[in-house]
Amino acid sequence: MANPYGHFDDERREYVITRPDTPWPWLNYLGQDDLFGLCTNTGGGYTFWRDAKLRRLTRYRYNNVPLDSGGRYLYVHDGGTVWNPGWKPVKAALDRYECRVGLGYSRITGERDGLEVSQLVFVPPGHDVELWQVSVRNTSPGRKQPRLFSFVEFAFYEALVDLTNYQRTYSIGEVEVEGAAIYHVTELRERRDHYTVFACTGPVTGFDTSREAFVGVHEGLHEARVPFSGRATGSIAHGWNPIGSHEVSLDLEPGEEQTFAFVLGFVQQGDLPKFEAPQVADKRRGREFVARWSAPGAVDEAFAALNHSWDELLDGFRVECPDPHVTRMANTWNQYQCMATFNLSRSASLFESGIGRGMGFRDSNQDLLGFVHMVPARARQRLLDLAATQLSDGTCFHQYQPLTKKGNADVGGDFYDDHLWLVLSTCAYVKETGDVSVLDEPCGYADVEYPVRSDGATDPRESLLHHLETSIAYTMAKRGPHGLPLIGHADWNDCLNLNCFSTEPNESFQTAGDVAGSQAESVMIAGLFLAAAEELAALYDHLGRPSDAHRVRGQRAEVLAATEAHGWDGEWWLRAYDAAGAPVGTHADDEGRIFVESQGWCALGGAGADGRARQALEAVETHLATPNGIVLQQPAYTRYRLELGEITSYPPGVKENAGIFCHNNTWIHLAWCRLGDGDRALAGYLSVCPSAKEDQIDTYRLEPYVYAQTIAGPDSPTFGEAKNSWLTGTAAWTFVVVSQGILGVQPDHAGLRIDPCIPRSWPGFRVTRRFRGATYEITVTNPDGVSKGVRSIVVDGRAVEGAVDGAVVPAAPAGTVVAVEVVLG
Ligand code: BGC
């Protein structure tokens, strides 16, 4: 069944939404550097600079009624009727509606009564501006004189204050208007050195800056006074709620089209004085900004630059293979989502309010795995930022704010998996780039006071490599009675809280309990540690430090022995031991008998090479797999269990309580690749793939172009319904699965290792991979219909010696093109 709400336009790398009343607002992101916008298919959303909590430029009310109201709106007043090209907020019927979701832009087009209005919104690379290019076309046989009204509601930058502290905010709002530019200058007089400007390059005939004047007090956005009256009032906001609105009057002959732009910018004063006269903001930077974006061709050039940047980014990895979902997702949408998760971690989406969580430590380290091939330099900086939020004993702040890069003290640390992800991300970066210098970068610890230099900056001493050692040592030091790693507040599964024991609804499951002296252990962390320790040992091999490699492998061997001795339940891996020493995830329990995470990580960490790794994956197939993905555990918990925490607080079938948590599905897919079953890997991949959900979209409900965090499991009445799209570790890990697992193109220290694991029915595939500046054109053929196993590799016509089971193609000089022919068998 076709999706009634839209379709992919693979040629143009767009998703085309053809009905505005999607089952949930479908989102896109604008911006990839400092200025970001969230933009739904009806123009809803908001804009912020770097940090959705601390620098919110425009206002948005989450979970509003109606949902998703507030955004970058255009009202059209034409012949007595009022409508929006994006349908909302007026919701007047449109003769035609389309939203083209593109890479870093959305183009929303509405047509009614012979007038077509199209709004292309994007943030060009490297600029703090959101551009709306608007084209208005008269498709009727007669002359038309429509009026357009733009609308944004300004936010007072600090999003929580903006949405809560009205005794202050109703009094602070200030604006200035100069020509077609509206300046939002609230708090400039005090500690801010920035403002927001909203300007228009079209024929502006009026403006409003007061929400009361534009919307009214008792009216909603769908019945806003000014567009319905057809005339701007020229209002100046004094306190209350400043907005930006322009009135644009057009006169169009039949067939005529006019194009102009609205520009929304974040302007920093830098060293300029704040005021040019008493109470008058110094607007020099703002004027330069408006002039720059009003110049003929500026917006078109910026859009071309955006498209070019995505060509470049996606050129780093391209595949042609027999599966259309793999091709589409891996080439475009999966990588696109990896950019969003890298930029925003778990901060701002339609499910994350931009106020709660900043950058997650474990999240950002994992996000990096799917991004590092795109812009390695940014990944490098991220590693150093992350490491700097670690404490000297190995504890990591679980989250930090992107603007300040300081750890969030409310949540604190003591999630005993966090530090290990830093080992994986750092090694992934070094393998991708060959840049071992990053290991020597001083990044210090958050709890150490370093000498202050003359320029005010501190001089941290310990290197990134020191952090990796600290991380390994931390797990070694924090082991429980079975020799397995302690869990702390939680491991990857934030809701498995074995030290919480909360009977009080007003406290956080994660941080309420005390972890000091706890005995609760995690088998998942054990598997993760095995993988991380092997990565670090391999790094030492590469650095020519065999004794360090040997030492780390010794530590790994200790944890491996404990895992294999105490982590096995009989048919699968246990999940944990609780604080009282009772096993979690055991056949002996009535609920929560088998969990997915430890099955995945023990395999990825190399435990159970005696056959138990495979047996555990088979158990996942038997007990946890569904057509919509693998559920997190079974049977679902039906009662609250104090000793297990938040996981048992959810209704059965959702989130961590037996929901399909797509993120951890990927570890199973990757594990099947390691064990050589490409049919299962691909089947698993497709079971959670959004582009494969179009035929059940009214159940699935979310965007078919990006992964969601969860899909309701069979224990839920809403089985198959997705939640929390966009900001999920599923994006990065799926890219690892498809690029390194299934297609088997694996960055390694010495070069590119080629070790595919594909469905037996695939005759082959092609991958173009940029790696350390060279381009590899890889052709894989599968004459014998195998899943895994490399028979030969020929590089530029010369056979690679000993190319069995994944030989490494040596890194070629930057700028060269390398032809790699691989035969499986
Ligand atoms: C968090 C992750 C966590 C996962 C599983 C997500 O919401 O961002 O850090 O690992 O939930 O609980």
Side-chain angles (χ1 to χ4, degrees), residues 346 352 357 362-363 366 398 491-495 655-656 661 663 709 724:
R346 305 295 171 268
E352 301 280 7
R357 299 202 279 177
R362 78 159 77 90
D363 298 326
Q366 292 174 81
H398 200 47
D491 60 23
W492 171 86
N493 188 334
D494 267 333
C495 298
K655 292 274 286 170
E656 282 85 345
F661 216 102
H663 184 159
Q709 182 197 53
N724 202 355

Side-chain angles (χ1 to χ4, degrees), residues 579-633:
V584 179
T586 166
H587 69 283
D589 209 337
D590 61 338
E591 295 180 343
R593 284 190 199 122
I594 170 171
F595 278 67
V596 66
E597 304 98 316
S598 43
Q599 320 312 326
W601 273 104
C602 286
L604 297 176
D610 52 4
R612 286 186 285 171
R614 176 174 292 274
Q615 192 184 353
L617 294 188
E618 293 289 355
V620 169
E621 287 291 310
T622 308
H623 300 286
L624 301 179
T626 81
N628 283 316
I630 300 163
V631 297
L632 194 143
Q633 97 282 10

Side-chain angles (χ1 to χ4, degrees), residues 103 145 179-180 190 249 309 344 396 441 455 493 566 580-581 697 723:
L103 305 181
Q145 294 179 303
E190 39 116 319
S249 301
S309 82
L344 300 172
C396 301
E441 287 286 343
D455 63 357
N493 188 334
H566 303 292
I697 200 73
K723 285 203 183 102

